């Protein structure tokens, strides 16, 4: 369908809450039609995670969402090769606080996660995300965090305070 027709279906389809997101779906779909004959499975069939990630990034899906897609493909058995975690705010906050005491960049989060698992880091993604969301937020709840004994920020946190002793 032509781009203008697609734009006119924004309200009807309700695929994204923002018009720019709706247009992005069209752009990605058009890319899949042009480069993969309309069959998205051709992006990942018999391909290692690194190739799938590269293809998704070339489609301008975005590096973080691309990592989530590769992880989901692994989780559902579509590919057998693990990829890397999505270094979102929560993941960067947890890894940064555990190792350095403060939030780190996405690149540094990937490096630290690889140190932990010795290879692809997707297996840490959901665990770090929920730990960051539930305990290691802007106002961390260090007392109830499972990592408090090894955390650079949480070591020696006294009862009722967020400041290290």
């Amino acid at each position: 369908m032509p781009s203008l027709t697609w734009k006119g279906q924004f309200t009807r389809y309700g695929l994204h809450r923002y018009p720019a997101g709706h247009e992005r779906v069209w752009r990605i779909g058009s890319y899949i039609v042009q480069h993969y004959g309309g069959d998205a499975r051709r992006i990942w069939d018999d391909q290692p995670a690194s190739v799938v990630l590269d293809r998704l990034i070339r489609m301008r899906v975005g590096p973080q969402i691309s990592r989530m897609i590769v992880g989901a493909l692994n989780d559902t058995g579509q590919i057998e090769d693990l990829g890397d975690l999505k270094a979102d705010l929560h993941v960067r906050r947890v890894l940064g606080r555990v190792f350095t005491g403060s939030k780190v960049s996405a690149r540094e989060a990937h490096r630290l996660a690889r140190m932990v698992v010795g290879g692809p880091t997707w297996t840490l993604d959901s665990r770090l995300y929920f730990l960051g969301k539930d305990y290691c937020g802007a106002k961390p709840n260090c007392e109830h965090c499972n990592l408090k004994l090894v955390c650079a920020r949480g070591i020696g946190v006294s009862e009722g305070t967020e400041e290290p002793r």
Side-chain angles (χ1 to χ4, degrees):
M1 133 180 349
S3 175
L4 284 175
T5 304
W6 176 261
K7 287 178 185 180
Q9 300 300 320
F10 172 71
T11 304
R12 179 176 171 219
Y13 291 160
L15 295 175
H16 200 282
R17 64 182 175 195
Y18 298 116
H22 179 79
E23 291 175 30
R24 185 176 181 196
V25 170
W26 181 86
R27 181 183 47 75
I28 292 168
S30 294
Y31 189 97
I32 292 169
V33 168
Q34 291 172 3
H35 293 85
Y36 299 102
D39 187 352
R41 294 171 298 187
R42 292 178 57 198
I43 297 168
W44 63 81
D45 275 348
D46 298 318
Q47 299 297 321
S50 59
V51 170
V52 177
L53 181 64
D54 182 60
R55 288 177 174 179
L56 293 167
I57 289 171
R58 249 187 287 132
M59 290 170 56
R60 296 181 14 235
V61 172
Q64 301 292 27
I65 292 174
S66 296
R67 284 184 175 83
M68 289 178 65
I69 292 169
V70 169
L73 289 168
N74 178 269
D75 290 348
T76 58
Q78 300 297 310
I79 61 174
E80 295 179 15
D81 186 19
L82 287 174
D84 283 324
L85 56 76
K86 175 187 177 216
D88 67 7
L89 172 69
H90 298 298
V91 168
R92 292 184 356 251
R93 188 180 281 147
V94 171
L95 288 169
R97 286 180 176 163
V98 165
F99 286 98
T100 70
S102 62
K103 186 175 76 174
V104 295
S105 69
R107 170 175 266 148
E108 182 66 2
H110 284 116
R111 187 188 73 75
L112 293 170
R114 283 188 204 102
M115 253 179 30
V116 172
V117 297
T121 57
W122 178 250
T123 56
L124 295 176
D125 190 81
S126 64
R127 291 169 179 90
L128 290 174
Y129 170 80
F130 285 110
L131 190 64
K133 183 176 151 300
D134 297 338
Y135 298 99
C136 201
K139 294 184 179 183
N141 184 358
C142 297
E143 280 302 314
H144 295 97
C145 178
N146 292 330
L147 296 178
K148 69 181 173 189
L149 297 177
V150 296
C151 180
R153 185 189 189 287
I155 292 176
V157 173
S158 44
E159 196 69 38
T161 180
E162 295 178 6
E163 295 301 315
R165 282 190 259 172

